Amino acid sequence: MKVERVVLHHVKMPLVHPFETSFSREYEVESIIVQIFADGLVGWGESAAESNPYYTYETVDTAWSVIPNFIVPRILGKEIAHPLDFWGIVRRIRGHNMAKAGVEAALWDIWSQEQNVPLWKAMGGERDYIVSGVSIGIEPEVSILLDRIEKFLAEGYRRIKLKIKPGWDVEMLREVRRLYPDIPLMVDANAAYSIEDAEHLKKLDEFDLMMIEQPMSYEDLTHHARLQKMLETPICLDESIGSFAMARQALELESCRIINIKAARMGGPGQGIAVHDLCMMKGVPVWCGGLNETGIGRLHNVALSTLPNFKLPGDVSASKKYYKPDLIEPEVVMSPDGTIKAPIVPGLGAKVREDVLKMRRVRVWDSADSD
Ligand code: OSB
Ligand code: MG
């Protein structure tokens, strides 16, 4: 591929329902849509950095600076043989994984179109569908949460993930389990606890959870290893796994038994695939997380989730859980059996709705204007 032009679209997408985690409550999601022109084709990616540095240090503004200043000059006018080569091309740039991931994703879209295969096949996927779960935020009252659980179960979601934080954990889970004793259930703390809370977190063992996601700090692998020894419930790491090296160390230290793969957090689909392969070799199951991406990032997540070691339902849900309308046509839909079909057409598998993109866009950057 010879990259001819890169356009960035900063969008602001109102959420269908507010999303609250232990670190913030969001009513809308900001994101950078990456559009790359190469060999007469157009590829789309998404940099899922948010408006604030709460999930990771990256923000829309840091990516808006790093992509034009440091990433685009390394690819513009250059011949790139394979999207996996991109990681080496941007090697000197430390961190800024979401900025890198959005650009690499667009290259995968172009490359799979050139190979004339669906993106998921180009990535090494082995299944033409994925099994879908849903991530439900913290709600003002347990009754509202119970209504949401009921609604998503009725739609067919195959596992429920609940956000937790101190004060919204044991009692809330007791009420959920009273109504739903057998559903596949897990929780995500987004680093809201510390090792001092270990005895408290042990109480979660009684709820038969599939896993506890990221209970403690993103920087702390040894405390997670210590906590994992104390718990029966598997720990799954999200924020802590910011790279292949962190995944390798977490497995070596036994800080977790499951890994949440987000290509955005690890620097791109290539790194996501590498961590997937490492975990498969070690017999550690993975699943695909999300960052409330628009349909563009969502389709990239669908493709990645078709790889063989994605053994557990992920957070890749239908478009209508997040946005109305979404940026793509057709939108991502889930069947009543809780699966999402991977597209059969070459490339990403949907058209980007330029009308919605324009409606939601707050600024644009075009490499063609900045020569
Ligand atoms: O921790 O997995 C997380 C959303 C934004 C930031 C962090 C997380 C999440 C989610 C939602 O849990 C995932 C999704 O449905 O896209
Ligand atoms: Mg998480």
Side-chain angles (χ1 to χ4, degrees):
M1 298 168 275
K2 188 168 178 199
V3 176
E4 288 142 17
R5 181 179 164 206
V6 180
V7 182
L8 304 180
H9 310 261
H10 174 181
V11 293
K12 218 179 252 194
M13 304 282 291
L15 280 163
V16 166
H17 187 91
F19 188 71
E20 183 172 332
T21 61
S22 62
F23 57 79
S24 73
R25 183 169 178 84
E26 305 291 337
Y27 295 84
E28 55 186 18
V29 170
E30 295 186 38
S31 185
I32 298 174
I33 304 305
V34 180
Q35 183 182 23
I36 295 183
F37 297 79
D39 311 341
L41 297 167
V42 180
W44 295 92
E46 178 167 353
S47 276
E50 295 173 64
S51 56
N52 52 55
Y54 303 155
Y55 171 77
T56 149
Y57 67 86
E58 286 187 90
T59 66
V60 166
D61 287 332
T62 65
W64 198 262
S65 160
V66 167
I67 298 173
N69 290 323
F70 297 101
I71 297 178
V72 171
R74 286 180 161 78
I75 60 169
L76 201 61
K78 307 264 159 63
E79 183 63 39
I80 299 171
H82 193 286
L84 289 174
D85 297 341
F86 175 77
W87 186 245
I89 295 170
V90 295
R91 202 182 176 79
R92 273 184 72 193
I93 305 166
R94 284 197 189 170
H96 296 284
N97 283 346
M98 292 180 174
K100 292 171 184 169
V103 176
E104 191 191 312
L107 295 176
W108 278 96
D109 181 11
I110 294 167
W111 192 74
S112 56
Q113 290 176 56
E114 287 185 342
Q115 305 306 305
N116 205 29
V117 293
L119 177 64
W120 61 275
K121 281 199 178 163
M123 284 182 168
E126 295 183 356
R127 257 183 274 120
D128 62 0
Y129 67 93
I130 69 163
V131 179
S132 198
V134 68
S135 173
I136 308 182
I138 294 164
E139 294 294 344
E141 288 171 43
V142 174
S143 62
I144 300 173
L145 177 72
L146 294 174
D147 285 348
R148 283 183 70 67
I149 294 173
E150 187 186 326
K151 168 181 133 72
F152 288 124
L153 288 174
E155 287 177 22
Y157 284 102
R158 299 265 284 268
R159 80 75 169 109
I160 299 285
K161 162 168 142 183
L162 301 177
K163 293 291 186 178
I164 58 166
K165 65 174 181 182
W168 182 264
D169 48 22
V170 176
E171 283 165 42
M172 174 275 284
L173 284 166
R174 198 161 283 139
E175 294 193 51
V176 172
R177 272 301 189 212
R178 190 157 41 223
L179 268 172
Y180 302 104
D182 301 321
I183 55 166
L185 185 67
M186 60 170 289
V187 294
D188 184 1
N190 288 108
Y193 301 89
S194 72
I195 197 70
E196 276 75 52
D197 302 311
E199 285 303 321
H200 176 71
L201 291 168
K202 261 172 79 80
K203 294 183 199 158
L204 301 183
D205 273 341
E206 73 174 91
F207 298 112
D208 189 27
L209 303 171
M210 300 166 78
M211 69 196 91
I212 301 174
E213 186 179 345
Q214 197 69 42
M216 302 183 291
S217 169
Y218 71 100
E219 291 180 297
D220 209 319
L221 291 180
T222 56
H223 279 179
H224 278 105
R226 227 207 280 172
L227 181 67
Q228 181 65 91
K229 283 196 179 62
M230 299 172 65
L231 298 181
E232 280 165 40
T233 310
I235 290 176
C236 168
L237 290 177
D238 173 354
E239 285 93 319
S240 288
I241 311 299
S243 63
F244 181 86
M246 292 304 287
R248 181 176 50 70
Q249 292 170 71
L251 298 182
E252 217 164 288
L253 291 168
E254 298 181 30
S255 308
C256 62
R257 296 186 195 143
I258 299 170
I259 286 182
N260 165 336
I261 290 190
K262 292 179 187 171
R265 191 186 68 226
M266 296 170 175
Q271 294 304 292
I273 294 168
V275 174
H276 161 275
D277 294 352
L278 172 74
C279 290
M280 188 149 101
M281 202 172 70
K282 304 255 181 202
V284 171
V286 303
W287 54 278
C288 187
L291 291 161
N292 294 324
E293 288 92 342
T294 75
I296 295 169
R298 183 167 318 287
L299 282 172
H300 281 282
N301 290 341
V302 168
L304 189 60
S305 304
T306 64
L307 272 69
N309 195 38
F310 283 86
K311 294 240 171 75
L312 299 159
D315 280 346
V316 186
S317 312
S319 288
K320 70 171 188 183
K321 192 245 169 184
Y322 309 90
Y323 307 110
K324 219 190 259 175
D326 202 344
L327 288 181
I328 51 166
E329 175 61 42
E331 298 196 337
V332 172
V333 292
M334 190 185 65
S335 314
D337 70 352
T339 61
I340 291 173
K341 291 286 297 163
I344 49 169
V345 296
L348 191 57
K351 289 211 157 37
V352 172
R353 283 189 57 179
E354 308 250 3
D355 57 333
V356 183
L357 185 66
K358 277 205 184 93
M359 177 169 74
R360 300 298 188 214
R361 192 165 67 194
V362 293
R363 54 178 165 162
V364 62
W365 178 86
D366 188 338
S367 65
D369 297 335
S370 63
D371 302 334

